[in-house]
Amino acid sequence: MQRILQPGEIETLDHTSFPRILLPQASSLFAERAARLRQLANGNPIADYLLFVAQIMDAQHQAVASTTLAEPDAALMARAQEHSMPLLPALENIDPAWHGVLDAMLDTLQGSEQGQGLPPPLQPLIQELRAMGSAERDDIAQKLLQKEVAARHVGMAPFIMAALQVTFTLRAAGIAVRDIPYTEPASICPICASEPVASVTRIGGKAAGHRYLHCGTCACEWQMVRVKCSHCESTKGIHYQGVDGLGEAVLAETCSECGSYRKIVNQEKDHMVDPLADDLATLMLDLLMSETQFQRASPNPLLFVAVAQEQDGDLDHTLIDPCV
């Protein structure tokens, strides 16, 4: 008698297969990112900002252990699987637990010895966040997830996004890979429908040598072949640009078809790279790319720009460092 193998069983027999999805390790992700940022801060022109974000990530790490999420809606997940849609789109599935995460993070940042070193301009922002009602917080969170940020919210935006990252990462970590559908377009996260912050070439195990897109919201990674635009999925006109003297661990992958770029970090060149942390630390590459015809495909969720109206009506985008 012959037995028909299911897809998951077939993959276990195929020793040449590689994982389609890499789920985040929520218990260690933020601590590892904080350590990487502190390493990258040494000699970096934006060291103060990197160390500030590392403190936020320390608070994220502590919040993970004390956060419990509601079970995801099984009906929504089943519909997504049926129609090959992202499983739990972020905009529609913000867990109310994120408010408790934010409060816990603020307690950690203000109560720890390291937290006493937070820049003085941030203290009023933290007090404002503490006093803000849930409805107003949710409104800001929705806008940030849509990449909209008002100038008055720029300083508090990293704290809000960091709290959201904790809840979305915890949710992604608890999902079984077999439940995550194949989705279109392949350029958005199959779990939360967010755009990738960067891509990463992995080493080790069956993922070795394969390129994955890294979600800046839930930290899920999904495989995409190399030399393919992670924004428009074109295989034409792909080139790589870097900064002289800084090696090839972080490059800008440009696409002449859509005129966009997104960074790619390579563990083969530096096994310590982290897509989100190394993206933050290579702002110089973004500044150099701003002098070309290529536009960044998607922002880093912990680095924001304020949009100011110029007298001639054109929009001027200015990077804002809340530590200043």
Side-chain angles (χ1 to χ4, degrees):
M1 179 181 295
Q2 293 183 328
R3 184 170 66 90
I4 297 176
L5 295 177
Q6 298 302 311
E9 295 176 298
I10 296 173
E11 291 172 2
T12 63
L13 296 178
D14 182 3
H15 298 293
T16 65
S17 67
F18 54 87
R20 175 178 64 95
I21 300 289
L22 299 177
L23 294 176
Q25 300 296 316
S27 62
S28 59
L29 174 69
F30 299 110
E32 291 171 356
R33 278 183 179 169
R36 178 61 174 170
L37 280 180
R38 291 190 171 95
Q39 180 186 36
L40 294 168
N42 186 27
N44 197 299
I46 59 167
D48 288 345
Y49 188 80
L50 300 182
L51 294 174
F52 159 68
V53 177
Q55 288 181 249
I56 291 180
M57 290 175 177
D58 288 335
Q60 287 179 302
H61 176 65
Q62 291 195 38
V64 165
S66 59
T67 302
T68 302
L69 303 181
E71 288 294 323
D73 190 318
L76 286 177
M77 292 177 62
R79 185 180 67 179
Q81 291 161 346
E82 180 182 357
H83 298 285
S84 297
M85 302 186 302
L87 209 55
L88 295 164
L91 275 173
E92 304 162 18
N93 293 277
I94 300 177
D95 194 300
W98 86 270
H99 294 286
V101 171
L102 178 59
D103 291 332
M105 288 177 55
L106 296 179
D107 288 342
T108 298
L109 288 166
Q110 289 195 305
S112 68
E113 182 177 344
Q114 286 183 325
Q116 300 305 313
L118 286 177
L122 291 178
Q123 300 301 331
L125 291 174
I126 289 176
Q127 296 305 320
E128 184 179 355
L129 270 173
R130 287 188 180 281
M132 191 177 290
S134 296
E136 187 175 0
R137 282 181 172 185
D138 283 334
D139 181 64
I140 298 172
Q142 288 274 348
K143 287 182 169 62
L144 291 179
L145 289 171
Q146 297 176 81
K147 297 185 288 293
E148 300 175 11
V149 56
R152 68 182 183 279
H153 296 146
V154 166
M156 62 180 67
F159 299 100
I160 292 175
M161 275 305 304
L164 292 171
Q165 282 181 329
V166 170
T167 57
F168 286 119
T169 299
L170 279 169
R171 176 176 290 157
I175 293 173
V177 170
R178 63 177 178 275
D179 291 333
I180 301 173
Y182 289 85
T183 57
E184 291 293 338
S187 55
I188 62 171
C189 176
I191 294 181
C192 74
S194 299
E195 292 177 302
V197 64
S199 66
V200 54
T201 303
R202 290 293 182 192
I203 59 173
K206 291 186 176 181
H210 294 282
R211 191 263 288 264
Y212 290 83
L213 305 188
H214 183 92
C215 179
T217 301
C218 76
C220 169
E221 293 185 0
W222 62 104
Q223 193 269 339
M224 176 177 277
V225 297
R226 297 197 200 191
V227 198
K228 185 175 186 178
C229 178
S230 61
H231 184 61
C232 74
E233 301 185 60
S234 171
T235 56
K236 301 177 181 179
I238 305 298
H239 300 281
Y240 298 89
Q241 302 188 45
V243 179
D244 288 342
L246 294 185
E248 298 181 355
V250 182
L251 298 174
E253 183 181 67
T254 63
C255 174
S256 59
E257 291 294 300
C258 66
S260 73
Y261 79 92
R262 182 173 278 125
K263 291 177 194 169
I264 178 169
V265 304
N266 194 336
Q267 282 193 320
E268 295 171 343
K269 304 295 183 180
D270 182 347
H271 71 279
M272 297 296 292
V273 292
D274 174 90
L276 189 143
D278 281 72
D279 176 61
L280 275 179
T282 51
L283 182 59
M284 179 61 69
L285 179 54
D286 291 293
L287 294 176
L288 292 174
M289 292 303 300
S290 70
E291 299 174 1
T292 72
Q293 73 272 28
F294 298 102
Q295 301 293 315
R296 182 167 169 128
S298 54
N300 189 298
L302 297 180
L303 185 65
F304 296 88
V305 297
V307 181
Q309 191 77 29
E310 292 184 332
Q311 290 183 350
D312 61 4
D314 293 332
L315 289 179
D316 177 42
H317 293 71
T318 306
L319 285 171
I320 299 296
D321 182 347
C323 296
V324 176

